[in-house]
């Protein structure tokens, strides 16, 4: 035989060397090991040769020796597999080549050849031959092709030839199993070597379990253990060294197809196999590499699939693999697990877990299949499809959670890598919150939603109802090397430079797991579900715009009717546009189906409840909720709170706003309590938050909470707002404070934004106004905090004046333009088109402003009824009177005819109801003398005839709007105005020529309380400058900053004015009782 070593031998010996050796078991007197007998079988190196090499070798001869000492064996290449030579003098069968060189001695049979078994004289060697043939389905008989059960057998020709040459019994035994397995696995045809060996593994494992615990058959157990050990070794060879069996290495792991099969299947990877493979990790790193490589291949193949494909087997395979902590540790060390260089769009494709989280019904092709031809589908079909979609996704998300939980619980290293991956998902996706999102540069909605849902569920164990673990959420987390990147995020109440300086001062220590998951989940909501909510809102707007555009385009189709080629191009373009609309509509229904999952949203709100409590504890420095929050908060500032990203509060607002609008029944009463406290706290102490639009979100939440819901006529929050002590004491002040603040938001859309926000404020106030406690608190505070109320009333009057004027002007435009367009043939095409566009604009304007008008007037009516004193202060009363007189003139005066439009209800315009509301405001202030005189002094719009006309209209055409008692009071009030006008005119006449120095330079009226402005030294009436400062905090004469507290009373001038009035009027004016309207 040649001494040269074949390539197969080289490969195999190299592989064996890597496996490492195991300790040699001690032997008893009979030469049998006392330890695990699977390590006691010595195999000859010759069995490592391929069948072809065995043919080329010199025929060996069999030498059977007794108990005499055996010669020192050569180095055993099988030692790394745990195969050790016996050191005792047991009988041995040594297979050696004829020249006796290069061959190690072969171990004897595991048992004494002549020992009888319990079965009718069957010896142990006979049993060994039979059991090994059954397990490995081998035969040494060339004529035996199947066993008794019909299973195909593999004839191991070389093994038989060797046994015959050595004059050994032709039967299988553990000592020659190594050579037999190599030959059999190398010669399989329709299956792979691994297919064959895995099936053998399952059979030998089954036999071991059958014989386990039977001490009487220890020798048989030794045979089975050795067979099992060798089978596993060759399985590993088949996975890692395919060329050993004459196969070309594949690009994917040989394990891959087996992992996708049920573990109980003959081709599947069972628990016992993985447990044995993992146990060999310390001795053989290639096993670990092979299994990790298989998982990576799983991920790569899944990345090319969608929910329509057979993705489930991949998920089940990973769930099965992560049950083994050492394997999880190895998987977490994979360079594909959380590569820092990956881009956002590649996260769900190239990271190891990415493809598993990417599986979603929001994948492009899936949405079109769930909602094909969306415009033709009825609501029942859409609802059923969304329900089916949710069921599939929920099952998949539960699988993802199980996988993540196993990884987290395996060891600290794997847990940290899992957190690193979640951090990668949120940190790489900041662009998902951009105003214009390029979907090619960010992760998909489905991927990010799955990440968010998984993190939500990781938070559940520490989110108990008593908040017992909320102290574990470290307030210093963001200053202690956090995984979450917040550097570029806008902060709650701190500019970027200050925030950078704050976070530069790091805190020592390590972050606990609860803090890590809490902050990661907040970020995931921001870039995941809340980003998707934002996208859904924009998608709905885009679809409406596209639908309108299609309508406009199709109007021009007739232009191409005589040109077939151009008509075809036109129709193709329209079809393409409609297909885009269908695609967008399908995606909209799919996203709604995912987001409207009650379980998911309930879990999300439970997390947001924890965020609310954590924020309130932080800003109030109290042990909330065990200790109540006292408002207003103190002046002590919390840098930790102010330096938090805005999305900490924005996520709460977004989550509750979505649920309020779509599924309010999922909100529990305890969540509602804390939500109300949050809203009132930050609106009452609005200086704690910088962004006015973030604060407006708190108003929107409460507004949405007052919408009627099933079995809740006042909505989810309405009843609580009516009775919660913190609400009755602070809600109205908080709303009025923000009503004032929102006058200037700093955005280019602030003028229109303020009306939308104030509309929501009005709705909340209307919801709680029936509770007299609110009105009592408000009246008491209006007397204490006068300046605050003057500012509020001033802005309310500004709004009423503006929206009334805009609305009524729009109706006049509609009326005039409609008349001009009654005969369009007399107009040129360009002029007609211009007027039609102007009419459309006027109609749109009327619809928008009329709704605001109705609400603003209604609010003014409520407040003048409850707070008449506040509305008749000198700074306010004249403006209020002028506004009422002007609008009364528009509604009933000569130009009222121009308000007639077709279908006024289309605009929610009810002129008689509006007239009745304005009259009620007059009546609410009828007992205030300052108001009576203010109306009478309105030289522009006060006309006694208007009061008489209004009475006539309401008496004849709107009897249901005002009671007879109210009409009589209105008539009497008109008489009071008339009498006041006469008295005031007479007083003016009595005064005669008023010296200029006594006249207010702004209003040109006689001053009653003159004050000196500190910088310009100008003198104006106190009421004039107070009114001016309500909207402009500067000196009107030199624009220098000015506060009402800075003005100086002109005492001497005031005395001169009083003397002048006394001299001119005498007692005449005092004798006139304008409040007396009795005859004579």
């Amino acid at each position: 035989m040649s001494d040269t070593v074949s390539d197969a031998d080289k490969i195999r010996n190299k592989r064996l060397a890597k496996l490492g050796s195991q300790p040699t078991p001690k032997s008893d007197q009979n030469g049998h090991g006392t330890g695990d007998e699977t390590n006691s079988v010595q195999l000859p190196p010759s069995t490592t040769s391929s069948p072809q090499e065995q043919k080329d070798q010199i025929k060996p001869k069999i030498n059977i020796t007794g108990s005499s000492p055996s010669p020192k064996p050569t180095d055993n290449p099988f030692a790394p597999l745990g195969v050790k030579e016996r050191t005792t003098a047991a009988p041995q069968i040594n297979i050696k080549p004829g020249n006796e060189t290069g061959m190690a001695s072969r171990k004897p049979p595991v048992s004494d050849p002549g020992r009888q078994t319990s079965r009718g004289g069957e010896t142990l060697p006979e049993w060994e031959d039979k059991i090994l043939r059954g397990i490995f389905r081998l035969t040494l008989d060339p004529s035996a092709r199947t066993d008794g059960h019909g299973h195909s057998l593999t004839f191991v020709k070389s093994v038989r030839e060797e046994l015959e040459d050595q004059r050994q019994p032709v039967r299988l035994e553990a000592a020659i199993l190594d050579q037999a397995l190599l030959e059999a696995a190398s010669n399989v045809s329709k299956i792979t070597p691994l297919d064959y060996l895995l099936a053998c593994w399952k059979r030998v494992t089954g036999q071991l379990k059958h014989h386990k615990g039977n001490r009487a058959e220890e020798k048989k157990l030794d045979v089975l253990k050795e067979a099992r050990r060798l089978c596993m070794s060759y399985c590993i060879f088949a996975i890692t060294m395919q060329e050993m069996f004459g196969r070309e290495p594949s690009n994917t792991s040989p394990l891959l197809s087996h992992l996708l099969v049920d573990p109980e299947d003959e081709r599947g990877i069972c628990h016992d196999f993985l447990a044995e493979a993992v146990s060999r990790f310390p001795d053989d790193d290639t096993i670990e590499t092979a299994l990790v490589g298989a998982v990576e291949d799983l991920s790569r193949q899944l990345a090319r699939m969608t929910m329509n494909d057979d993705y489930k087997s991949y998920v089940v395979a990973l769930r099965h693999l992560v049950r083994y902590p050492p394997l999880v540790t190895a998987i977490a060390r994979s360079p594909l697990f959380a590569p820092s260089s990956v881009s956002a769009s590649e996260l769900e494709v190239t990271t190891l877990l990415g493809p598993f989280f990417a599986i979603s019904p929001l994948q492009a092709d899936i949405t079109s299949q769930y909602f094909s031809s969306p415009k033709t589908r009825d609501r029942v079909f859409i609802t059923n499809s969304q329900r089916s979609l949710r069921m599939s996704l929920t099952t998949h998300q539960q699988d993802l959670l199980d996988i993540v939980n196993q990884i987290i619980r395996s060891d600290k290293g794997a847990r940290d890598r899992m957190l690193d991956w979640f951090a990668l998902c949120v940190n790489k996706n900041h662009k998902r919150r951009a105003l214009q999102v390029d979907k090619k540069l960010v992760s998909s909605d489905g991927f990010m939603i799955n990440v968010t849902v998984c993190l939500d569920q990781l938070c559940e164990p520490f989110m108990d109802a008593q908040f017992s673990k909320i102290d574990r959420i470290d307030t210093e987390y963001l200053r202690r090397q956090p995984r979450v990147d917040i550097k570029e995020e806008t902060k709650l109440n701190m500019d970027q430079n200050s925030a950078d300086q704050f976070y530069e001062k790091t805190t020592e220590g390590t972050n606990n797991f609860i803090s890590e998951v809490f902050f990661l989940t907040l970020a995931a909501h921001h870039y995941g579900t809340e980003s998707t909510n934002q996208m859904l809102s924009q998608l709905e707007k885009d679809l409406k715009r596209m639908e309108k555009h299609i309508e406009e385009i199709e109007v021009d189709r007739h232009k191409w009717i005589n040109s077939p080629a151009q008509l075809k191009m036109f129709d193709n373009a329209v079809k393409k546009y409609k297909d885009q609309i269908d695609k967008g509509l399908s995606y909209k229904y799919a996203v709604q189906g995912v987001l409207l999952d009650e379980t998911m949203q309930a879990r999300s709100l439970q997390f947001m409840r924890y965020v609310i409590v954590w924020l309130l504890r932080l800003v109030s420095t109290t042990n909330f909720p065990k200790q109540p929050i006292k408002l207003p908060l103190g002046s002590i500032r919390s840098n930790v709170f102010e330096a938090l990203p805005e999305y900490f509060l924005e996520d709460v607002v977004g989550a509750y706003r979505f649920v309020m609008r779509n599924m309010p029944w999922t909100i529990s009463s305890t969540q509602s309590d804390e939500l109300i406290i949050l809203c009132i706290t930050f609106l009452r102490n609005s200086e704690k938050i910088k962004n006015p639009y973030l604060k407006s979100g708190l108003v929107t939440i409460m507004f949405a909470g007052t919408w009627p819901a099933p079995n809740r006529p006042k909505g989810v929050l309405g009843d609580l707002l009516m009775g919660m002590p913190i609400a009755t004491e602070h809600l109205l002040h908080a709303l009025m404070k923000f009503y004032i603040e929102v006058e200037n938001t700093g955005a280019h859309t602030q003028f229109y934004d303020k009306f939308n926000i104030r509309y929501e404020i009005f709705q909340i106030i209307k919801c709680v106004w029936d509770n007299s406690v609110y009105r009592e608190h408000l009246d008491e505070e209006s007397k204490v905090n006068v300046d605050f109320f003057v500012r509020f009333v001033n802005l309310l009057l500004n709004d009423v004046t503006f929206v009334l004027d805009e609305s009524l002007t729009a109706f006049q435009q509609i009326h005039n333009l409609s008349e001009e367009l009654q005969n369009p043939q007399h107009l040129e095409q360009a002029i007609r088109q211009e007027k039609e566009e102007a009419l459309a604009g006027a109609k749109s304007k009327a619809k928008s402003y009329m709704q605001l008008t109705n609400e603003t007037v209604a609010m003014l009516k409520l407040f003048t009824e409850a707070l008449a004193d506040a509305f008749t202060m000198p700074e306010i009363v004249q403006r209020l009177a002028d506004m009422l007189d002007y609008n009364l003139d528009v509604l009933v005066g000569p130009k009222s005819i121009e308000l007639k439009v077709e279908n006024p209800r289309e605009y929610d315009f009810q002129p008689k109801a509006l007239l009745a509301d304005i009259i009620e405001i007059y009546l609410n202030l009828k007992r205030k003398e300052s108001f009576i005189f203010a109306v009478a002094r309105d030289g522009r719009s006060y006309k006694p005839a208007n009061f008489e006309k209004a009475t006539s209209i309401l008496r004849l055409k709107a009897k249901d709007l005002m009671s007879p008692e109210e009409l009589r009071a209105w008539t009497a009030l008109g008489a009071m105005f008339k009498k006041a006008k006469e008295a005031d005119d007479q007083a003016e006449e009595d005064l005669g020529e008023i010296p200029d120095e006594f006249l207010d330079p702004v209003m040109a009226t006689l001053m009653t309380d003159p004050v000196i402005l500190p910088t310009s030294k100008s003198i104006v009436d106190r009421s004039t400058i107070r009114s001016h400062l309500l909207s402009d905090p500067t000196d009107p004469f030199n624009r220098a900053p000015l506060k009402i507290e800075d003005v100086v009373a002109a005492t001497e001038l005031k005395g001169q004015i009083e003397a002048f009035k006394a001299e001119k009027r005498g007692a005449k004016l005092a004798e006139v009782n304008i409040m007396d309207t009795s005859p004579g």
Side-chain angles (χ1 to χ4, degrees):
M1 172 183 175
S2 173
D3 292 335
T4 59
V5 182
S6 68
D7 290 339
D9 279 332
K10 291 178 181 178
I11 294 171
R12 189 159 180 260
N13 291 339
K14 181 180 179 181
R15 175 73 182 90
L16 295 173
K18 288 183 178 180
L19 290 174
S21 60
Q22 300 179 15
T24 305
K26 295 180 180 179
S27 302
D28 59 20
Q29 293 178 353
N30 297 322
H32 302 300
T34 60
D36 185 351
E37 293 299 323
T38 61
N39 295 328
S40 64
V41 181
Q42 175 66 49
L43 299 180
S46 61
T47 60
T48 66
S49 303
S50 66
Q52 181 61 41
E53 290 173 316
Q54 291 173 1
K55 291 180 181 179
D56 297 336
Q57 291 175 353
I58 299 174
K59 297 292 183 181
K61 49 189 178 181
I62 302 175
N63 297 324
I64 303 177
T65 60
S67 300
S68 59
S70 59
K72 183 177 179 179
T74 59
D75 291 340
N76 179 16
F78 289 80
L81 282 174
V83 183
K84 300 292 183 181
E85 296 178 321
R86 291 187 180 275
T87 57
T88 60
Q92 297 183 1
I93 298 176
N94 297 326
I95 302 177
K96 298 181 180 180
N99 61 5
E100 297 187 356
T101 61
M103 290 287 291
S105 60
R106 185 159 65 96
K107 181 185 179 310
V110 174
S111 57
D112 295 333
R115 178 166 179 168
Q116 300 287 321
T117 66
S118 59
R119 289 191 179 181
E122 182 185 53
T123 65
L124 187 60
E126 291 172 342
W127 175 87
E128 186 175 9
D129 175 57
K130 180 185 69 176
I131 200 70
L132 293 179
R133 280 190 284 110
I135 290 171
F136 296 99
R137 293 183 181 168
L138 301 175
T139 181
L140 295 172
D141 182 359
S143 63
R145 295 301 181 185
T146 59
D147 62 11
H149 299 286
H151 300 127
S152 297
L153 300 176
T154 300
F155 173 50
V156 281
K157 180 180 178 182
S158 297
V159 175
R160 179 183 176 90
E161 290 176 352
E162 186 171 333
L163 289 173
E164 288 174 344
D165 289 346
Q166 295 289 339
R167 296 183 179 85
Q168 294 272 0
V170 180
R171 62 190 178 200
L172 287 175
E173 57 183 40
I176 62 172
L177 184 58
D178 178 50
Q179 181 177 341
L181 283 178
L182 178 61
E183 182 177 351
S186 298
N187 291 332
V188 293
S189 56
K190 296 182 179 180
I191 59 176
T192 66
L194 186 58
D195 287 334
Y196 165 72
L197 291 166
L198 280 175
C200 296
W201 166 266
K202 294 200 171 185
R203 289 191 290 271
V204 71
T205 301
Q207 286 292 336
L208 260 176
K209 290 179 180 177
H210 177 70
H211 288 83
K212 195 172 184 180
N214 192 342
R215 287 191 164 277
E217 299 185 338
E218 285 187 5
K219 300 300 182 183
K220 293 183 180 180
L221 282 174
D222 291 343
V223 171
L224 292 173
K225 287 178 181 179
E226 175 65 7
R228 183 175 184 269
R229 185 189 66 80
L230 284 171
C231 186
M232 169 56 73
S233 296
Y234 273 91
C235 283
I236 294 171
F237 290 153
I239 295 168
T240 61
M241 299 174 61
Q242 300 172 60
E243 61 272 27
M244 179 177 175
F245 302 93
R247 305 295 175 101
E248 289 294 329
S250 61
N251 294 326
T252 58
S253 170
L255 272 175
L256 181 58
S257 61
H258 299 277
L259 290 172
L260 298 175
V261 179
D262 189 300
E264 300 304 317
D265 187 274
E266 194 173 66
R267 295 184 66 249
I269 305 295
C270 64
H271 166 71
D272 295 306
F273 181 89
L274 286 173
E276 177 67 18
V278 167
S279 71
R280 296 190 179 201
F281 277 10
D283 300 320
D284 186 1
D285 57 354
T286 59
I287 304 175
E288 175 183 312
T289 302
L291 286 172
V292 172
V295 175
E296 292 173 348
D297 285 343
L298 270 179
S299 177
R300 291 188 187 99
Q301 283 200 6
L302 185 60
R304 298 191 291 268
M305 297 184 178
T306 68
M307 206 170 222
N308 277 345
D309 300 312
D310 183 22
Y311 73 93
K312 187 69 176 177
S313 58
Y314 291 80
V315 179
V316 171
L318 186 59
R319 283 188 63 189
H320 185 47
L321 292 170
V322 295
R323 292 167 57 192
Y324 305 91
L327 180 54
V328 171
T329 302
I331 291 171
R333 289 199 298 262
S334 166
L336 298 184
F337 196 88
S340 58
S341 60
V342 71
S343 66
S345 59
E346 294 173 336
L347 272 169
E348 53 195 293
V349 178
T350 59
T351 64
L352 196 144
L353 292 177
F356 295 89
F357 277 81
I359 293 295
S360 167
L362 300 185
Q363 289 171 299
D365 297 335
I366 310 300
T367 58
S368 298
Q369 293 183 18
Y370 268 106
F371 305 99
S372 58
S373 303
K375 288 184 180 178
T376 65
R377 303 299 186 179
D378 58 20
R379 176 48 57 182
V380 174
F381 175 88
I382 293 171
T383 302
N384 289 337
S385 296
Q386 289 175 333
R387 187 179 296 114
S388 173
L389 174 154
R390 281 195 294 270
M391 290 175 63
S392 299
L393 181 59
T394 299
T395 303
H396 178 59
Q397 288 172 342
Q398 187 59 48
D399 289 338
L400 295 177
L401 176 66
D402 290 344
I403 291 169
V404 170
N405 265 327
Q406 292 291 345
I407 295 174
I408 286 174
R409 293 172 181 174
S410 60
D411 66 16
K412 184 179 184 303
R415 181 174 67 244
D416 288 343
R417 291 289 283 166
M418 189 72 250
L419 295 176
D420 288 342
W421 185 80
F422 281 127
L424 201 63
C425 293
V426 296
N427 292 336
K428 293 287 185 178
N429 275 291
H430 285 201
K431 290 183 179 179
R432 279 179 58 84
R433 295 313 300 260
L435 293 177
Q436 297 292 332
V437 180
D438 185 348
K439 291 192 174 184
K440 296 178 182 178
L441 301 179
V442 296
S443 299
S444 66
D445 294 322
F447 173 81
M448 291 303 296
I449 287 174
N450 285 340
V451 168
T452 307
V453 169
C454 186
L455 282 167
D456 268 341
Q457 293 178 90
L458 288 180
C459 292
E460 285 186 319
F462 64 80
M463 292 193 305
D464 60 309
Q466 290 74 36
F467 302 96
S468 61
K469 296 181 180 179
I470 199 166
D471 287 332
R472 298 289 304 281
I473 301 173
D474 192 351
T475 58
E476 295 291 336
Y477 169 84
L478 294 173
R479 301 177 71 188
R480 190 184 291 117
Q481 298 180 337
R483 283 185 164 86
V484 180
D485 179 13
I486 64 163
K487 182 174 177 59
E488 301 301 324
E489 292 293 336
T490 306
K491 308 306 186 289
L492 279 172
N493 199 18
M494 194 176 285
D495 60 50
Q496 190 62 48
N497 290 334
S498 300
D500 289 344
Q501 293 175 11
F502 176 75
Y503 285 117
E504 281 175 1
K505 299 176 183 177
T506 58
T507 303
E508 295 182 356
T510 57
N511 292 316
N512 60 61
F513 180 73
I514 289 179
S515 297
E516 293 277 15
V517 175
F518 177 80
F519 285 92
L520 282 170
T521 306
L522 259 172
H525 273 276
H526 187 59
Y527 304 113
T529 50
E530 295 310 314
S531 172
T532 306
N533 287 344
Q534 182 185 46
M535 178 280 305
L536 181 60
S537 299
Q538 186 60 47
L539 177 61
E540 290 174 338
K541 294 176 183 177
D542 291 342
L543 288 173
K544 289 180 180 178
R545 176 182 53 79
M546 293 171 74
E547 290 281 5
K548 185 177 180 180
H549 187 52
I550 279 288
E551 293 176 3
E552 294 173 351
I553 291 176
E554 290 186 323
V555 171
D556 295 331
R557 189 175 188 275
H558 67 278
K559 295 179 180 179
W560 321 109
I561 201 71
N562 295 322
S563 176
Q566 289 184 322
L567 181 62
K568 183 178 180 180
M569 291 175 60
F570 176 86
D571 289 341
N572 288 339
V574 170
K575 182 181 182 302
K576 185 177 180 181
Y577 204 75
K578 287 183 175 180
D579 289 343
Q580 286 294 107
I581 293 176
D582 283 350
K583 185 178 179 181
L585 195 56
S586 296
Y587 193 72
K588 169 190 167 183
Y589 289 148
V591 173
Q592 287 176 334
V594 171
L595 294 179
L596 294 178
D597 183 335
E598 290 190 19
T599 303
M600 182 186 89
Q601 292 297 345
R603 193 183 295 121
S604 172
L605 293 188
Q606 177 65 11
F607 174 75
M608 291 305 166
R609 181 190 180 204
Y610 231 70
V611 177
I612 288 173
V613 172
W614 187 77
L615 288 174
L616 289 173
R617 290 165 64 92
L618 195 59
V619 75
S620 66
T621 64
T622 62
N623 188 22
F624 180 80
K626 293 181 180 179
Q627 296 177 352
I629 293 177
K630 296 180 180 180
L631 298 180
L633 298 175
S635 58
I636 299 176
R637 299 177 62 175
S638 167
N639 287 333
V640 174
F641 174 81
E642 292 182 353
L644 290 176
E646 278 187 354
Y647 70 70
F648 276 50
L649 189 57
E650 186 180 353
D651 286 356
V652 174
V653 171
Y656 275 97
R657 182 164 50 200
F658 180 83
V659 174
M660 290 281 190
R661 290 176 173 174
N662 296 283
M663 44 205 310
W665 55 87
T666 60
I667 301 177
S668 67
S669 58
T670 51
Q671 290 170 346
S672 300
D673 287 350
E674 287 140 3
L675 181 62
I676 289 173
I677 294 172
L678 176 84
C679 294
I680 294 176
T681 297
F682 286 116
L683 290 174
R684 184 68 175 82
N685 297 88
S686 57
E687 67 279 0
K688 300 291 183 181
I689 302 172
K690 182 172 55 177
N691 187 347
Y693 291 99
L694 188 54
K695 289 178 276 192
S696 73
L698 301 173
V699 174
T700 300
I701 289 177
M702 290 193 288
F703 165 56
T706 61
W707 292 351
N711 303 318
R712 295 179 177 183
K714 284 186 174 292
V716 177
L717 303 180
D719 291 330
L720 290 172
L721 289 173
M722 288 286 284
M724 284 183 67
I726 193 172
T728 56
E729 187 171 353
H730 298 287
L731 176 62
L732 285 184
H733 183 99
L735 292 174
M736 292 165 65
K737 182 179 181 181
F738 190 58
Y739 187 102
I740 295 169
E741 283 185 24
V742 82
E743 179 71 16
N744 297 295
T745 63
H748 68 280
T749 57
Q750 67 178 15
F751 182 78
Y752 300 100
D753 293 338
K754 70 178 181 181
F755 287 112
N756 293 328
I757 296 169
R758 287 170 177 173
Y759 171 81
E760 295 179 350
I761 290 175
F762 293 155
Q763 302 309 306
I764 301 169
I765 293 175
K766 285 169 64 177
C767 176
V768 302
W769 195 253
D770 291 340
N771 187 346
S772 60
V773 177
Y774 275 103
R775 299 195 296 275
E776 291 169 4
H777 278 302
L778 197 60
D779 182 57
E780 181 180 349
E781 193 169 1
S782 69
K783 297 172 182 175
V784 175
N785 200 348
V786 177
D787 288 341
F788 172 81
F789 270 77
V790 168
R791 293 179 64 199
F792 169 74
V793 169
N794 178 68
L795 291 173
L796 180 58
L797 288 180
N798 287 347
D799 288 352
V800 174
T801 302
F802 176 79
V803 296
L804 265 172
D805 185 56
E806 290 293 312
S807 299
L808 299 181
T809 300
F811 288 121
Q812 291 173 345
Q813 292 174 345
I814 294 171
H815 174 83
N816 295 333
L817 289 169
S818 297
E819 284 192 344
E820 291 177 19
L821 289 169
Q822 283 182 352
N823 298 309
Q825 62 273 15
H826 299 299
L827 298 173
E828 294 181 4
Q829 175 67 22
I831 296 177
R832 180 175 65 83
Q833 185 175 351
E834 181 181 342
K835 291 186 177 295
E836 287 175 347
E837 292 175 356
L839 178 60
K843 287 182 177 180
S844 175
K845 181 180 177 181
K847 287 180 181 179
S848 301
Y849 280 115
M850 198 61 230
Q851 186 179 22
L852 283 172
T853 296
N854 292 333
E855 295 301 328
T856 311
V857 170
M859 192 54 47
L860 183 62
K861 188 169 67 173
L862 290 178
F863 275 93
T864 53
E865 179 184 20
L867 304 168
D869 288 338
F871 284 86
T872 53
M873 288 185 286
E875 303 90 333
I876 297 297
V877 66
Q878 192 60 55
R879 292 188 59 238
L880 174 60
D882 292 348
M883 181 273 294
L884 292 174
D885 289 344
Y886 172 78
N887 287 290
L888 180 65
D889 186 48
V890 173
L891 288 171
V892 302
K895 293 187 177 180
S896 61
I897 190 67
E898 296 180 1
L899 297 178
K900 290 185 179 181
V901 294
E902 293 183 3
N903 194 16
R905 290 189 177 275
E906 176 186 352
Y907 314 99
D908 200 18
F909 179 41
Q910 302 177 54
K912 297 181 182 64
L914 181 59
L915 174 61
D917 286 341
I918 288 178
I919 289 176
E920 282 195 47
I921 296 171
Y922 274 106
L923 292 175
N924 288 340
L925 304 173
K926 65 183 179 182
R927 292 185 176 85
K928 300 299 177 180
E929 184 175 354
S930 59
F931 175 68
I932 304 297
F933 273 107
V935 171
R937 289 170 182 163
D938 178 12
R940 184 182 68 160
S941 301
Y942 169 67
K943 300 172 184 175
N946 287 340
F947 291 85
E948 297 171 3
K949 183 68 178 294
T951 304
S952 175
I953 291 172
L954 291 174
R955 182 177 289 126
L956 298 176
K957 301 179 181 180
K959 296 180 180 179
D960 57 328
L961 294 177
M962 297 195 75
S963 66
E965 292 78 11
E966 288 174 320
L967 284 174
R968 284 194 291 272
W970 172 245
T971 303
L973 183 58
M976 292 167 63
F977 291 144
K978 190 174 182 179
K979 189 174 182 180
K981 175 65 174 172
E982 294 171 354
D984 196 60
D985 288 345
Q986 183 61 49
E988 288 293 329
E989 184 180 339
D990 292 342
L991 284 175
E993 189 71 23
I994 302 175
D996 291 341
E997 62 270 22
F998 294 170
L999 291 175
D1000 183 284
V1002 177
M1003 304 299 294
T1005 56
L1006 180 65
M1007 292 185 287
T1008 58
D1009 186 9
V1011 293
I1012 303 170
L1013 306 185
T1015 57
S1016 65
K1017 304 303 180 182
S1018 299
I1019 298 177
V1020 296
D1021 194 79
R1022 186 184 297 274
S1023 63
T1024 300
I1025 192 60
R1026 185 188 290 271
S1027 179
H1028 168 79
L1029 292 176
L1030 292 174
S1031 55
D1032 186 355
T1034 63
D1035 187 321
F1037 299 97
N1038 63 4
R1039 313 307 298 168
L1042 178 65
K1043 296 180 180 179
I1044 191 63
E1045 296 84 3
D1046 300 333
V1047 302
V1048 179
T1051 308
E1052 182 178 351
L1053 180 60
K1054 183 177 181 180
Q1056 295 174 5
I1057 293 173
E1058 292 296 332
F1060 171 78
K1061 289 164 63 178
E1063 177 185 350
K1064 292 289 184 178
R1065 291 183 177 180
K1068 188 171 184 179
L1069 184 58
E1071 294 174 357
V1072 179
N1073 184 4
I1074 63 164
M1075 305 301 285
D1076 181 10
T1077 59
S1078 59

